[in-house]
Amino acid sequence: MKNKKLITGIILLVLSIAIFVFSLINHLIELRDMKECANTPGCMYCLPKWVGGTAYLLYFVSIVVLAISITCFIKAKTKKL
C-alpha cells in the first residue's frame, strides 16, 4: 500500500510537469505569433485562442495535479514512519 501511494505521486508529478511544459510552450508560441502578426502591415488585432484561456486553464490543472502529487508523497512518507 505504501508503494502504491509513492508510485501514484511520482506519476502525478510527471503528469503535472508535462502539462505545465506543454502549456508553457504553446503559450509562448502563440504570443510570438501574435507579436509577429501585429508587425505585419494591414493586420488587425489577432485574437489568440490559446492565450485566451486554454493555457491558463491548463496551468490551473497542472497546479491541482501537483498538489495531489505532493499529498500522495506526504501520505506515503507518514505511512513509512
Side-chain angles (χ1 to χ4, degrees):
M1 187 70 168
K2 296 178 229 174
N3 290 336
K4 188 184 242 186
K5 290 191 187 269
L6 186 63
I7 291 171
T8 303
I10 292 170
I11 290 171
L12 289 176
L13 180 66
V14 169
L15 181 67
S16 171
I17 291 170
I19 291 171
F20 181 79
V21 169
F22 172 75
S23 300
L24 183 65
I25 289 171
N26 282 331
H27 193 164
L28 293 175
I29 288 171
E30 189 76 28
L31 288 173
R32 182 196 67 195
D33 291 344
M34 191 171 76
K35 186 175 181 181
E36 190 175 297
C37 180
N39 291 334
T40 305
C43 178
M44 301 304 281
Y45 178 72
C46 301
L47 182 62
K49 59 184 176 182
W50 189 258
V51 175
T54 308
Y56 299 120
L57 177 68
L58 286 177
Y59 290 145
F60 177 73
V61 169
S62 174
I63 290 171
V64 169
V65 172
L66 181 65
I68 294 170
S69 170
I70 290 171
T71 304
C72 287
F73 282 133
I74 291 171
K75 284 187 178 185
K77 188 70 172 175
T78 56
K79 291 287 183 176
K80 284 185 177 181
L81 299 176

